[in-house]
């Protein structure tokens, strides 16, 4: 049902946009007897930032997931609607925690965070499992959608925050502010590097996907650096400048990744304009 997939994707985008709007509208920012509680304002904004980053990550992963699959079943639709129902609880739980950051409200927020994370990862595995049969392919595509810091590592962090919320609610709330924002920024860089590479032809992408996590980051940055050097600014790059940038890329690729100049030439032939377009 490809047409229904597009409609569900559009419906999901609308619901997520409404959720973010409701969160900011329900922030407990009030003026009492002509005075403003600035501590409460900053705390509320911080918690809103946490929820925004969490939902923004969800939206991006959701968009990547539905871009990856061609059709969906009725069961997939039900799963997505249940997920959106759970996600729509975020505004109320955000308001509860920002109004009174005590043990029950902080822990409830963490439990909802955990349920949403687990449910979305289950839904992701179910959808991409229909298209990819190889375990390696599943792992690579899953990481390209959810980021490297998903799975058990993420569960341990959330469970740790729930436990911390039982003993020190305010400390857990502060970490709820720091960790999702940090994760949001780091995942954005990872995805940017990954997107610069996916425009390569199939053999280049396969070589990239077989690299370790550390190598993927370095390789993505290497390609991005090369493309940035070749961008035209006020003056077009000279042929000598282009050759120098290419030789630098070749040397890096050979020394760090054992990739030959012939391989690089094959990968970039006819694809450089497409790669460069991702920088704009």
């Amino acid at each position: 049902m490809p047409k229904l997939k597009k409609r569900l994707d559009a419906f999901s985008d609308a619901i997520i946009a409404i959720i973010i709007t409701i969160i900011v509208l329900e922030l407990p920012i009030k003026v009492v007897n002509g005075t403003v509680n600035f501590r409460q304002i900053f705390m509320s904004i911080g918690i809103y930032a946490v929820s925004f980053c969490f939902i923004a990550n969800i939206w991006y992963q959701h968009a990547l997931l539905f871009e990856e699959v061609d059709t969906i079943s009725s069961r997939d639709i039900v799963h997505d609607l249940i997920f959106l129902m759970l996600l729509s609880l975020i505004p109320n739980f955000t308001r509860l925690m920002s109004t009174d950051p005590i043990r029950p409200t902080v822990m409830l927020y963490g439990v909802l965070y955990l349920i949403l994370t687990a449910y979305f990862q289950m839904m992701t595995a179910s959808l991409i499992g229909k298209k990819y049969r190889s375990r390696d392919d599943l792992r690579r595509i899953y990481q390209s959608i959810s980021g490297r810091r998903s799975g058990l590592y993420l569960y341990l962090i959330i469970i740790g925050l729930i436990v911390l919320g039982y003993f020190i609610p305010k400390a857990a709330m502060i970490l709820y502010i720091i960790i999702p924002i940090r994760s949001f920024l780091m995942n954005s860089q990872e995805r940017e590097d990954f997107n610069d590479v996916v425009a390569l032809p199939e053999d280049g992408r396969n070589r990239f996907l077989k690299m370790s996590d550390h190598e993927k980051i370095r390789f993505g940055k290497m390609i991005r650096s090369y493309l940035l050097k070749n961008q035209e600014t006020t003056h077009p790059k000279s042929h000598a400048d282009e050759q120098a940038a290419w030789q630098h890329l070749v040397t890096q690729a050979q020394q760090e990744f054992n990739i030959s100049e012939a391989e690089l030439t094959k990968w970039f032939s006819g694809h450089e304009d497409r790669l460069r377009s991702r920088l704009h």
Side-chain angles (χ1 to χ4, degrees), residues 178-189:
I178 296 173
I179 293 175
I181 293 178
R182 180 176 179 272
S183 176
F184 175 75
L185 296 175
M186 292 183 69
N187 286 344
S188 296
Q189 181 60 51

Side-chain angles (χ1 to χ4, degrees), residues 11-25 55 91:
F11 176 75
S12 301
D13 287 347
I15 292 296
I16 292 173
I18 292 170
I19 290 171
I20 290 178
T21 303
I22 292 174
I23 291 175
V24 74
L25 290 177
I55 293 174

Side-chain angles (χ1 to χ4, degrees), residues 169-262:
K170 290 186 178 180
M173 186 185 67
I174 292 172
L175 290 175
Y176 275 132
I177 294 173
I178 296 173
I179 293 175
I181 293 178
R182 180 176 179 272
S183 176
F184 175 75
L185 296 175
M186 292 183 69
N187 286 344
S188 296
Q189 181 60 51
E190 290 175 14
R191 291 164 188 153
E192 187 175 1
D193 293 336
F194 184 84
N195 288 338
D196 288 336
V197 176
V198 294
L200 291 170
E202 185 177 357
D203 54 346
R205 290 198 303 271
N206 291 337
R207 180 70 175 267
F208 171 77
L209 291 172
K210 291 178 181 178
M211 295 178 181
S212 67
D213 291 339
H214 182 61
E215 288 175 332
K216 287 176 183 177
I217 295 174
R218 285 163 47 209
F219 187 71
K221 290 181 178 178
M222 183 184 72
I223 291 179
R224 188 171 180 81
S225 175
Y226 166 71
L227 296 175
L228 286 171
K229 287 178 182 178
N230 277 354
Q231 279 192 59
E232 292 185 1
T233 53
T234 54
H235 301 287
K237 299 294 182 183
S238 68
H239 180 70
D241 290 336
E242 291 180 353
Q243 284 298 312
W246 173 255
Q247 287 303 319
H248 180 70
L249 175 67
V250 169
T251 302
Q252 276 189 300
Q254 289 175 340
Q255 291 178 350
E256 298 186 32
F257 305 100
N258 196 28
I259 298 173
S260 67
E261 182 173 3

Side-chain angles (χ1 to χ4, degrees), residues 21-53:
T21 303
I22 292 174
I23 291 175
V24 74
L25 290 177
E26 290 197 352
L27 289 178
I29 301 175
K30 299 178 181 178
V31 178
V32 181
N33 297 325
T35 61
V36 178
N37 188 338
F38 288 101
R39 179 176 175 274
Q40 182 67 39
I41 289 176
F42 290 127
M43 184 182 298
S44 299
I45 292 174
I47 296 171
Y48 166 72
V50 172
S51 299
F52 181 89
C53 289

Side-chain angles (χ1 to χ4, degrees), residues 66-249:
F66 275 75
E67 185 69 22
E68 188 64 36
V69 298
D70 300 320
T71 60
I72 56 174
S73 64
S74 299
R75 184 178 180 182
D76 298 327
I77 295 172
V78 172
H79 284 165
D80 196 48
L81 292 176
I82 292 175
F83 172 74
L84 291 173
M85 179 193 69
L86 293 171
L87 191 64
S88 66
L89 295 174
I90 283 287
N92 281 330
F93 280 67
T94 300
R95 179 175 53 80
L96 284 172
M97 186 168 69
S98 61
T99 303
D100 195 3
I102 57 176
R103 179 187 297 172
T105 59
V106 174
M107 292 183 69
L108 281 173
Y109 188 91
V111 169
L112 179 60
Y113 198 141
L114 181 64
I115 292 173
L116 279 166
T117 300
Y119 198 90
F120 183 76
Q121 292 190 354
M122 178 275 294
M123 189 170 66
T124 300
S126 174
L127 281 170
I128 64 176
K130 297 176 182 178
K131 185 175 181 180
Y132 299 94
R133 298 301 178 185
S134 166
R135 177 173 292 184
D136 288 339
D137 288 340
L138 284 173
R139 179 180 58 82
R140 291 164 188 161
I141 298 301
Y142 179 80
Q143 286 186 348
S144 74
I145 294 173
S146 299
R148 299 195 318 272
R149 296 170 180 82
S150 56
L152 182 60
Y153 178 81
L154 183 57
Y155 291 140
L156 290 176
I157 290 178
I158 300 173
I159 292 172
L161 288 177
I162 294 173
V163 174
L164 182 63
Y166 180 85
F167 297 101
I168 316 174
K170 290 186 178 180
M173 186 185 67
I174 292 172
L175 290 175
Y176 275 132
I177 294 173
I178 296 173
I179 293 175
I181 293 178
R182 180 176 179 272
S183 176
F184 175 75
L185 296 175
M186 292 183 69
N187 286 344
S188 296
Q189 181 60 51
E190 290 175 14
R191 291 164 188 153
E192 187 175 1
D193 293 336
F194 184 84
N195 288 338
D196 288 336
V197 176
V198 294
L200 291 170
E202 185 177 357
D203 54 346
R205 290 198 303 271
N206 291 337
R207 180 70 175 267
F208 171 77
L209 291 172
K210 291 178 181 178
M211 295 178 181
S212 67
D213 291 339
H214 182 61
E215 288 175 332
K216 287 176 183 177
I217 295 174
R218 285 163 47 209
F219 187 71
K221 290 181 178 178
M222 183 184 72
I223 291 179
R224 188 171 180 81
S225 175
Y226 166 71
L227 296 175
L228 286 171
K229 287 178 182 178
N230 277 354
Q231 279 192 59
E232 292 185 1
T233 53
T234 54
H235 301 287
K237 299 294 182 183
S238 68
H239 180 70
D241 290 336
E242 291 180 353
Q243 284 298 312
W246 173 255
Q247 287 303 319
H248 180 70
L249 175 67

